[in-house]
Amino acid sequence: MLGPSFHPRAFEGTAMLRAFTDHPDSVGETYLEHMDSAWGFAATLFVAALCCFLHGVFPFAFQKSGSRRIVTLHERMVAHRHRHAAPTGFVGWAEGI
């Protein structure tokens, strides 16, 4: 039989859980919502990078495709974000990685 220390709620206050939830909480998202958003940004950046690469090879193609995607991401991430109060804890401990 597992003791109370193995109950999932026992980990709620731990630093490990906070490392996964502090930042998503600070932008008003759950962990899974934040992962979905981050992966959406990654996919868009990948397409933008591909457009820029192809534009370098074929200057007549994709003349504004990459920059248009970057502007759209900026609008989503910076201009229209809904930030909440900054939480304490692990936020910023791995900032910039």
Side-chain angles (χ1 to χ4, degrees), residues 50-64:
L50 182 61
C51 291
C52 291
F53 177 80
L54 291 172
H55 174 68
V57 176
F58 307 106
F60 54 86
F62 306 104
Q63 293 179 19
K64 295 186 184 220

Side-chain angles (χ1 to χ4, degrees), residues 33-52:
E33 289 170 337
H34 192 70
M35 182 177 14
D36 181 58
S37 179
W39 285 0
F41 273 76
T44 303
L45 287 169
F46 178 77
V47 171
L50 182 61
C51 291
C52 291

Side-chain angles (χ1 to χ4, degrees), residues 10-76:
F11 294 102
E12 281 186 352
T14 66
M16 180 61 82
L17 181 63
R18 286 194 323 269
F20 285 92
T21 60
D22 278 356
H23 174 64
D25 285 346
S26 75
V27 293
E29 298 172 333
T30 66
Y31 174 78
L32 292 176
E33 289 170 337
H34 192 70
M35 182 177 14
D36 181 58
S37 179
W39 285 0
F41 273 76
T44 303
L45 287 169
F46 178 77
V47 171
L50 182 61
C51 291
C52 291
F53 177 80
L54 291 172
H55 174 68
V57 176
F58 307 106
F60 54 86
F62 306 104
Q63 293 179 19
K64 295 186 184 220
S65 299
S67 60
R68 194 170 50 240
R69 283 173 175 78
I70 299 300
V71 168
T72 300
L73 288 177
H74 179 268
E75 288 294 315
R76 281 179 52 200

